[in-house]
């Protein structure tokens, strides 16, 4: 079989929780699926999380089996470290041109033993830990990565050859180049996910320069057992914080950032993290500065009440500014909404900005799908079939269509798979 | 032909040629590695006698605390330092791990 020309029933773009669920649902119905992921591993944002709300289940314990199920499903082929370059209509189907980036590691022989990683002399900021931890220039992306194959970062390589000498199966290949792959499919699902609003977006909140002001995703990594420090400490100086505050709506409901919408997940992830911190640092004071608490899902309001009962302080107020004292302690200037708009200053050891969700990728040019004013995929029938796009045969799911939590992403992914399966059958039956 | 199929002499030549092609990256990264090695050496020296916290190491080696923490966490990840309890209930103590003879 020509490895540069592939054929399948469906192409799923994005290997996060939504993309994986769509791929599995289609594969379980017998359809051949190709899953394209631009990172070296599937798993998306969810594999980076510590636990999920409102059940406080371990995120990795849910995501890892899902990743494994995708990898071991005979009807799914993963193209990792690959990006869609263009899509052309091909009758009722599509031809996708995919660029497979070089790993500089032979995928077929690499066993993921990490001996290359241990031999590499170059430490670089670890993208999986949002750059607060370190990793080597050649590495397996993270412990549960799928595929469990190393990747060499040529932009940070001194070409010393130590990795090649350490590899027991001669998998390092400095001569590898990018490959173009053509994929012929009948239907396509966009599951390109989200990005968080940048931590330096709001200049008043330290401009991303205060080491002890972090965002919610970094706190997820600090809380995760596989995180950069394997404990919650301040990135500024390694001290265990005794007072942690959350600033809500730090990247959502804010016209000045061009993000006027509510990101839907921030209240819940802040409450979840506060509860987890209360568990790991029982002596710490935790404060959440909020405008409104929005607990829209099943069991979410009870979760919020449990957090209050645990002693987490909820302060209705709008944080105007975050500065830093001489000990790297963040100082918040906050207007207390329920106390005659009184303005106070409070010092904490660490601040977590509850940043919002923005689309990771604008698919309008490549896929010809309509997007809304914020760049999320827009369905022509949002109330009847929210995963449909204006392009017949192309469906969209998860956070590529708008802010949503994990539960809703999985539901949306199954809906997209169902719509894609219906489309496949209708095309094949000539309807 | 892949790199592994080359003879040792050819591998050396290929790496040399690639280093020339990526001269800017190699030069920048070598400078980074050199700086990292100097800081790591200083951290090892600072930890030679007894366990220390990140702020204590930072004072001894005259580096910002956040940078020291980054290096210490990198060394911890690859088993060169380990945690050794807490100081004053807020600061993690780090100690050197004896390197295994290769």
């Amino acid at each position: 079989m020509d490895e540069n020309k592939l054929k399948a029933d469906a192409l799923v773009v994005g290997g996060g929780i939504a993309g994986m669920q769509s791929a599995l649902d289609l594969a379980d119905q017998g359809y051949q699926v190709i899953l394209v992921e631009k990172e070296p591993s599937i798993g998306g944002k969810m594999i980076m999380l510590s636990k999920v709300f409102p059940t406080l289940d371990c995120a990795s314990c849910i995501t890892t089996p899902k990743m494994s199920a995708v990898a071991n499903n005979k009807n799914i082929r993963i193209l990792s470290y690959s990006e869609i370059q263009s899509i052309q209509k091909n009758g009722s189907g599509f031809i996708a041109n995919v660029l497979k980036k070089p790993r500089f590691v032979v995928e077929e022989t690499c066993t993921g033993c990490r001996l290359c990683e241990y031999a590499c002399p170059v430490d670089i900021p670890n993208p999986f830990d949002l750059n607060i931890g370190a990793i080597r220039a050649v590495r397996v992306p993270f412990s549960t990565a799928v595929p469990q194959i190393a990747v060499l970062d040529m932009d940070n390589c001194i070409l010393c050859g130590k990795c090649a000498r350490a590899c027991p199966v001669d998998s390092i290949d400095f001569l590898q180049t990018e490959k173009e792959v053509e994929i012929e499919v009948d239907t396509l699902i966009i599951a390109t996910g989200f990005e968080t609003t940048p931590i330096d977006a709001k200049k008043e909140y330290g401009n991303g320069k205060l080491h002890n002001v972090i965002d919610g995703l970094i706190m997820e990594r600090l809380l995760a057992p596989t995180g950069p420090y394997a404990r919650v400490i301040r990135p500024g100086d390694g001290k265990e914080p005794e007072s942690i505050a959350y600033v809500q709506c730090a990247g959502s409901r804010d016209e000045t950032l061009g993000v006027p919408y509510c990101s839907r997940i921030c209240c819940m992830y802040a409450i979840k993290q506060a509860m987890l911190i209360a568990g790991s640092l029982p002596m710490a004071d935790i404060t959440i500065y909020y405008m409104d608490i929005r607990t829209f899902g099943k069991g979410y309001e009870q979760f919020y009440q449990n957090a209050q009962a645990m002693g987490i302080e909820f302060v209705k107020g709008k944080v105007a500014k975050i500065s830093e004292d001489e000990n790297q302690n963040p100082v918040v200037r906050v207007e207390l909404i329920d106390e005659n708009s009184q303005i106070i200053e409070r010092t904490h050891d660490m601040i977590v900005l509850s940043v919002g969700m923005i689309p990771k990728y604008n698919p309008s040019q490549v896929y010809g799908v309509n997007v809304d004013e914020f760049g999320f995929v827009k369905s022509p029938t949002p109330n009847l079939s929210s995963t449909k796009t204006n392009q017949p045969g192309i469906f969209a799911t998860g956070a590529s269509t708008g802010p949503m939590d994990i539960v809703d992403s999985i539901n949306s992914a199954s809906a997209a798979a169902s719509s894609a399966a219906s489309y496949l059958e209708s095309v094949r039956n000539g309807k | 032909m892949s790199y592994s199929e080359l003879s040792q002499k050819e591998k050396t030549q290929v790496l040399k040629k690639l280093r020339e092609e990526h001269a800017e990256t190699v030069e920048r990264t070598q400078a980074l590695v050199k700086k990292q090695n100097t800081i790591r050496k200083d951290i090892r020296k600072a930890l030679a006698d007894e366990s220390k916290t990140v702020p204590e190491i930072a004072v001894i080696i005259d580096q910002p605390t956040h940078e020291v923490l980054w290096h210490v966490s990198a060394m911890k990840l690859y088993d060169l330092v380990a945690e050794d309890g807490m100081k004053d209930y807020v600061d993690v103590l780090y100690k050197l791990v004896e390197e295994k003879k290769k």
Side-chain angles (χ1 to χ4, degrees):
Chain A
M1 189 183 177
D2 185 354
E3 283 298 291
N4 295 327
K5 277 186 192 279
L6 304 175
K7 204 172 171 185
D9 297 312
L11 174 64
V12 176
V13 185
I17 188 65
M20 290 193 293
Q21 187 64 50
S22 288
L24 282 169
D25 283 0
L26 283 167
D28 289 346
Q29 293 174 64
Y31 296 110
Q32 297 294 314
V33 182
I34 292 174
L35 177 65
V36 173
E37 167 57 49
K38 79 180 179 69
E39 299 295 334
S41 168
I42 59 171
K45 291 276 189 300
M46 190 173 167
I47 193 64
M48 299 164 86
L49 306 183
S50 52
K51 295 193 177 186
V52 296
F53 59 77
T55 54
L56 294 182
D57 288 323
C58 155
S60 185
C61 305
I62 301 168
T63 321
T64 308
K66 196 78 89 178
M67 291 159 71
S68 183
V70 169
N72 292 313
N73 192 306
K74 63 178 175 28
N75 290 337
I76 301 177
R77 176 165 182 170
I78 301 170
L79 283 186
S80 59
Y81 216 36
S82 303
E83 290 190 51
I84 305 284
Q85 299 295 296
S86 63
I87 302 283
Q88 284 116 40
K89 282 287 279 179
N90 178 37
S92 57
F94 305 90
I95 290 179
N97 291 296
V98 177
L99 187 74
K100 191 158 174 47
K101 296 177 276 187
R103 280 178 179 264
F104 301 103
V105 170
V106 181
E107 293 191 20
E108 292 75 19
T109 54
C110 177
T111 60
C113 69
R114 295 179 71 204
L115 287 176
C116 56
E117 189 176 333
Y118 273 83
C120 177
V122 187
D123 281 333
I124 57 169
N126 185 355
F128 187 68
D129 285 334
L130 291 311
N131 298 332
I132 55 167
I135 193 111
R136 297 271 159 86
V138 58
R139 76 273 184 175
V140 173
F142 50 92
S143 55
T144 56
V146 169
Q148 189 73 195
I149 297 171
V151 60
L152 190 152
D153 177 358
M154 198 51 97
D155 290 337
N156 287 294
C157 180
I158 56 172
L159 291 154
C160 62
K162 284 185 178 173
C163 53
R165 289 193 289 277
C167 180
V169 287
D170 279 337
S171 283
I172 301 291
D173 184 3
F174 292 108
L175 298 173
Q176 216 173 60
T177 54
E178 59 190 29
K179 273 187 200 157
E180 285 182 8
V181 182
E182 190 182 282
I183 305 173
E184 192 183 329
V185 289
D186 291 326
T187 186
L188 206 151
I189 295 176
I190 299 170
T192 46
F194 71 98
E195 214 39 87
T196 53
T197 43
I199 193 167
D200 60 353
K202 264 189 106 57
K203 309 299 171 207
E204 311 88 292
Y205 289 174
N207 211 3
K209 289 181 180 153
L210 308 180
H211 296 295
N212 296 323
V213 177
I214 62 172
D215 68 21
L217 208 46
I218 293 179
M219 181 52 93
E220 290 290 341
R221 294 307 302 145
L222 296 186
L223 285 162
T226 56
Y229 316 131
R231 55 167 66 237
V232 179
I233 52 175
R234 307 204 303 180
D237 56 10
K239 282 179 184 292
E240 217 172 67
E242 293 175 323
S243 166
I244 300 166
Y246 281 80
V247 176
Q248 296 307 106
C249 301
S252 310
R253 302 174 70 195
D254 191 334
E255 294 275 2
T256 64
L257 298 178
V259 189
Y261 53 84
C262 168
S263 288
R264 300 180 77 212
I265 60 165
C266 322
C267 288
M268 288 304 292
Y269 78 62
I271 295 169
K272 174 198 75 178
Q273 290 182 2
M275 289 168 91
L276 295 175
I277 294 166
S280 61
L281 303 173
M283 302 306 286
D285 295 323
I286 306 160
T287 307
I288 297 182
Y289 297 104
Y290 71 99
M291 293 198 290
D292 308 286
I293 293 290
R294 295 181 169 176
T295 53
F296 60 91
K298 189 178 178 184
Y300 291 7
E301 179 63 21
Q302 184 62 46
F303 193 69
Y304 168 41
Q305 288 174 16
N306 289 349
Q308 288 175 305
M310 283 172 76
I312 291 155
E313 184 190 18
F314 288 80
V315 176
K316 193 170 174 69
K318 183 67 187 158
V319 172
K321 192 181 170 192
I322 303 173
S323 53
E324 194 177 74
D325 71 9
E326 65 281 6
N327 296 317
Q328 299 190 43
N329 297 318
V331 181
V332 293
R333 188 175 168 81
V334 57
E335 179 187 349
L336 302 176
I337 296 168
D338 280 348
E339 292 178 42
N340 296 324
S341 294
Q342 186 193 348
I343 293 169
I344 60 161
E345 285 196 350
R346 282 169 89 174
T347 303
H348 298 279
D349 291 336
M350 200 168 170
I351 300 272
V352 184
L353 301 179
S354 289
V355 291
M357 291 169 99
I358 53 176
K360 188 166 192 164
Y361 168 74
N362 186 335
S364 58
Q365 270 197 327
V366 169
Y367 300 84
V369 296
N370 289 339
V371 294
D372 65 19
E373 60 193 299
F374 310 112
F376 292 111
V377 179
K378 187 178 176 182
S379 170
T381 52
N383 297 327
L384 295 172
S385 182
S386 61
T387 59
K388 261 190 186 166
T389 70
N390 57 302
Q391 295 287 348
I394 300 184
F395 303 89
T397 180
S400 70
T401 63
M404 64 178 71
D405 63 11
I406 291 163
V407 177
D408 286 352
S409 289
I410 292 172
N411 287 338
S412 158
S414 291
S418 176
S419 296
S422 297
Y423 177 81
L424 286 170
E425 291 310 306
S426 66
V427 166
R428 283 162 197 190
N429 295 330
K431 286 177 189 166
Chain B
M1 183 178 264
S2 75
Y3 180 79
S4 65
E5 291 166 308
L6 302 176
S7 68
Q8 193 50 52
K9 194 180 170 189
E10 287 169 327
K11 282 180 180 173
T12 309
Q13 284 169 346
V14 160
L15 280 178
K16 192 182 169 197
K17 190 166 169 263
L18 283 171
R19 277 196 291 269
E20 284 165 8
E21 282 172 16
H22 297 262
E24 202 181 313
T25 303
V26 170
E27 199 177 320
R28 174 180 47 81
T29 312
Q30 275 176 338
L32 179 85
V33 172
K34 200 174 167 189
K35 191 181 162 199
Q36 279 179 1
N37 288 344
T38 307
I39 294 175
R40 303 287 164 88
K41 201 173 155 191
D42 290 347
I43 291 174
R44 278 198 195 94
K45 253 192 223 170
L47 294 176
D49 298 334
E50 57 174 356
S51 306
K52 290 192 176 62
T53 67
V54 165
E56 286 170 347
I57 300 167
V59 169
I60 294 168
I61 72 168
D62 194 24
Q63 291 286 333
T65 47
H66 69 274
E67 280 198 23
V68 172
L69 176 61
W70 189 83
H71 286 285
V72 167
S73 65
M75 293 168 81
K76 189 178 151 206
L77 181 66
Y78 293 105
D79 305 327
L80 302 171
V81 302
E83 290 188 8
D84 191 25
M86 301 288 286
K87 185 177 180 183
D88 301 332
Y89 303 104
V90 290
D91 280 306
V92 182
L93 284 161
Y94 295 94
K95 66 175 179 184
L96 280 180
V97 173
E98 276 188 42
E99 282 186 65
K100 287 174 197 158
K101 295 263 184 227
K102 285 177 184 167

